[in-house]
Amino acid sequence: MAFRIDSSIIAWPLMGALLSAPAMALDWRLGIGGHDYYVDEADSHTLGAGVSIALTHLTESEIKLTGELNIFVDHDVDELDPDHIPVWFSSYYSAGGDLVSLSQHSRLFWDISLGGKRNTVSSVEKQVRLFPALGYGY
């Protein structure tokens, strides 16, 4: 269950306040939604709501940069972690581009992504995942 706010509603005030890059150089979106964070070890469901902002930018050298930040608020009835505050965060960042164009339809590319979450209801205080990759695209 999620819905998105049309970026044209708040594009110019938010872009000027949050970003120093030109507004036309960025593809961005805002999201609002609900979640059910499930902890299978305790058979526990924690309902909540969240907001997110995501940005994508293609540099002049054709490197695609992306980033997303999510903020969640939980209604934790099971209280699995007594130190958990009902606000937690997740984020994702990546960069990637072409290494070699092999033909009109195929290429070798590189990608690196970093994602994580902090202060979750499942007692994950901080989790970071780094994925470098080389790939083939057709």
Side-chain angles (χ1 to χ4, degrees), residues 32-50:
I32 300 172
H35 67 271
D36 178 0
Y37 196 94
Y38 180 68
V39 179
D40 56 351
E41 293 88 4
D43 194 28
S44 170
H45 291 269
T46 300
L47 301 176

Side-chain angles (χ1 to χ4, degrees), residues 22 25 54-55 73 77 91 100 105 125-126 130:
L55 305 168
V73 178
V77 294
S91 57
V100 177
H105 300 290
E125 298 304 325
K126 188 172 190 179
L130 176 66

Side-chain angles (χ1 to χ4, degrees), residues 61-113:
S61 57
E62 305 266 331
I63 295 174
K64 183 178 180 182
L65 305 172
T66 61
E68 181 173 342
L69 175 64
N70 303 291
I71 302 170
F72 303 97
V73 178
D74 290 333
H75 179 63
D76 185 11
V77 294
D78 294 332
E79 297 185 14
L80 300 176
D81 181 359
D83 297 324
H84 174 69
I85 60 171
V87 177
W88 62 281
F89 308 91
S90 72
S91 57
Y92 175 81
Y93 311 97
S94 72
D98 288 348
L99 285 173
V100 177
S101 179
L102 302 173
S103 73
Q104 182 180 358
H105 300 290
S106 65
R107 64 190 173 94
L108 294 176
F109 64 90
W110 65 274
D111 183 77
I112 187 164
S113 61

Side-chain angles (χ1 to χ4, degrees), residues 15 19-28 55-58 65:
M15 295 302 282
L19 306 167
S20 60
M24 300 308 282
L26 293 170
D27 177 22
W28 67 279
L55 305 168
T56 302
H57 176 66
L58 187 63
L65 305 172

